[in-house]
Amino acid sequence: MKIERFETWWVERNQCLFDKKRQGSAAMPWDVVVLKLTTDTGLEGIATALAARSGNITESYLHETIAPVVLGRDIHDREKIWHELWTIDRHLTFFPVYLPGPVDVALWDLAAKEAKLPLYQYLGAYRTQLPVYASGNFHATIEEYVEEALKYKERGITAYKAHPGGPLAFDMKVHEAIRKAVGDEYVLMSDPVAEYQLHEAITVGRQLEELGYHWLEEPFRDFELNKYKQLCSALDLPIAATETTRGCHWGVAQSIALQAADIVRADVSWKDGVTGSMKIAHMAEGFGMNCELHTTTMNYMDIANLHVGCAIRNTEYFEYFVPEENYQLPMKGNLPITKDGMIEVPTQAGLGVELDWDLIKRQCKHYREQRI
């Protein structure tokens, strides 16, 4: 079964979902590129690719560098294709971290559909659902964090992760206010996406220990391994890292080897697809560590994350980026979250969810196609 058609739709959103501090001077329309691979038998594999800063970059990499590798290949040659793309990356391509993961997702979607199995069963099922934590965005006031945490607690979501936006004193007030509002038993995490000094991170970590938080995530840039190592040594609170670490499992391995993380992160967009995420999860399992799956900021690809999470043992939660409507485009329907805060993996073949093709065509800025 060969891939004979490679199509993309650049879908416009024109809505920046970050504040000015994180947007910076460059435009951030947060568009999405839809990818479809079609075989010589008519079977279709679908993925979406991040285009938050530039649809031109995503589209060009997909067509100029990735499509020539994929077209004409058997859909089961995923591992060979995956490594060939890494060879190309090293030799003067240097893919963005969110590529080429989507093409790997589309290949897995194709293979699971051919097998007439949901992806998690094709990978090897471990479970059928995961508990959800609501993962908020950056807010300007303490009250907004409290309101958001309470909103999702009332909806039945059993955990909440704040993204306090700094400075340090503000972040600590956010942590304290949320804990007071939701009660002592509610599961909380903090992900400041910060550039703390080491002593600041230790101060925050000790506060979170006293407040009973579940983990602290990304207090430094991912490449600051020595700071992470010292922080992990100084605290009992688990430290989650490697969200943006380049190099897939090779990069994450350095954090594990240096004891610079207690929990590692992966996702099918930023860690080279299902193949890369499974490699990271299995490697972490060998060291007795959890691999917590990071939101792709796209509901459709988060469904691929869910399939991975239901095919591995060493993950605890599904990251539910909220408000959901910000990240729904271009998936049809909502994420399958139950009233008791669980997300249930789809049972249809492949990823098991659909895209809104009317919306895609209506908001398509550019369409490209290659065939063999």
Side-chain angles (χ1 to χ4, degrees):
M1 187 178 291
K2 307 290 186 184
I3 299 162
E4 68 171 16
R5 193 176 183 186
F6 189 108
E7 298 172 272
T8 61
W9 292 258
W10 174 355
V11 184
E12 288 189 297
R13 186 202 311 263
N14 290 323
Q15 178 189 1
C16 180
L17 305 177
F18 275 175
D19 56 21
K20 288 292 184 181
K21 178 180 177 181
R22 271 147 280 270
Q23 179 180 351
S25 300
M28 196 177 190
W30 215 301
D31 294 345
V32 172
V33 171
V34 175
L35 168 68
K36 181 192 288 186
L37 306 180
T38 306
T39 70
D40 50 7
T41 64
L43 200 62
E44 296 175 348
I46 309 292
T48 61
L50 190 67
R53 293 287 185 181
S54 172
N56 277 319
I57 290 175
T58 302
E59 182 185 63
S60 295
Y61 268 115
L62 285 169
H63 280 275
E64 295 174 16
T65 310
I66 295 175
V69 175
V70 173
L71 281 167
R73 304 290 285 272
D74 190 286
I75 67 168
H76 301 102
D77 290 347
R78 292 181 304 274
E79 188 74 10
K80 176 66 173 175
I81 291 169
W82 194 89
H83 280 281
E84 185 173 338
L85 289 169
W86 268 108
T87 298
I88 290 168
D89 176 88
R90 175 61 185 87
H91 293 88
L92 303 185
T93 294
F94 309 121
F95 288 115
V97 72
Y98 51 83
L99 292 171
V103 75
D104 184 78
V105 170
L107 289 168
W108 279 99
D109 186 40
L110 276 169
K113 284 175 177 173
E114 183 202 24
K116 297 181 172 58
L117 289 171
L119 178 57
Y120 81 102
Q121 287 187 338
Y122 186 72
L123 291 167
Y126 180 77
R127 66 185 115 214
T128 60
Q129 59 181 4
L130 276 168
V132 168
Y133 70 85
S135 181
N137 215 320
F138 302 100
H139 299 298
T141 68
I142 295 169
E143 290 73 23
E144 288 174 285
Y145 287 98
V146 170
E147 289 171 6
E148 185 172 65
L150 289 172
K151 173 182 177 180
Y152 289 99
K153 181 183 180 184
E154 290 168 3
R155 289 190 184 180
I157 304 299
T158 59
Y160 172 76
K161 186 171 78 178
H163 287 86
L168 181 73
F170 174 80
D171 294 353
M172 295 179 73
K173 289 177 182 177
V174 168
H175 297 151
E176 186 175 6
I178 295 172
R179 173 54 76 202
K180 183 177 180 181
V182 300
D184 293 339
E185 302 304 316
Y186 196 72
V187 176
L188 294 174
M189 304 87 156
S190 179
D191 178 5
V193 194
E195 299 178 39
Y196 290 158
Q197 297 296 312
L198 177 61
H199 72 275
E200 293 176 323
I202 292 172
T203 297
V204 168
R206 287 176 177 161
Q207 181 209 27
L208 296 179
E209 288 178 338
E210 292 178 4
L211 293 173
Y213 273 59
H214 202 55
W215 74 60
L216 171 62
E217 183 176 336
E218 203 175 1
F220 317 122
R221 300 291 181 121
D222 275 342
F223 44 72
E224 297 187 274
L225 296 182
N226 188 53
K227 286 168 71 175
Y228 272 107
K229 177 179 173 64
Q230 292 180 75
L231 182 64
C232 290
S233 297
L235 299 175
D236 294 327
L237 178 72
I239 304 301
T242 75
E243 180 175 307
T244 62
T245 298
R246 283 210 26 109
C248 197
H249 60 304
W250 298 292
V252 174
Q254 310 315 307
S255 290
I256 294 175
L258 289 172
Q259 298 180 321
D262 300 302
I263 298 165
V264 298
R265 298 284 267 160
D267 73 74
V268 300
S269 175
W270 297 11
K271 287 294 191 291
D272 295 87
V274 173
T275 299
S277 296
M278 293 293 286
K279 287 176 186 288
I280 292 169
H282 290 156
M283 178 178 65
E285 183 181 38
F287 286 90
M289 299 173 67
N290 268 12
C291 174
E292 294 298 329
L293 297 167
H294 164 254
T295 177
T296 66
T297 76
M298 299 171 286
N299 282 8
Y300 182 83
M301 293 289 271
D302 282 347
I303 289 290
N305 268 350
L306 176 60
H307 282 279
V308 171
C310 287
I312 61 176
R313 181 184 179 189
N314 59 321
T315 198
E316 188 175 7
Y317 283 102
F318 174 89
E319 183 169 19
Y320 175 43
F321 213 18
V322 298
E324 180 175 345
E325 54 269 21
N326 282 353
Y327 312 102
Q328 188 174 7
L329 180 141
M331 195 179 92
K332 182 181 288 186
N334 295 323
L335 293 170
I337 297 174
T338 66
K339 292 181 180 179
D340 59 351
M342 304 293 289
I343 184 165
E344 297 180 336
V345 68
T347 57
Q348 295 85 359
L351 267 65
V353 291
E354 298 180 10
L355 296 183
D356 187 339
W357 286 102
D358 289 338
L359 179 148
I360 290 167
K361 291 170 183 176
R362 185 169 64 249
Q363 296 181 209
C364 181
K365 180 174 182 176
H366 195 218
Y367 167 78
R368 288 181 68 174
E369 174 191 23
Q370 294 190 56
R371 291 175 179 259
I372 55 169

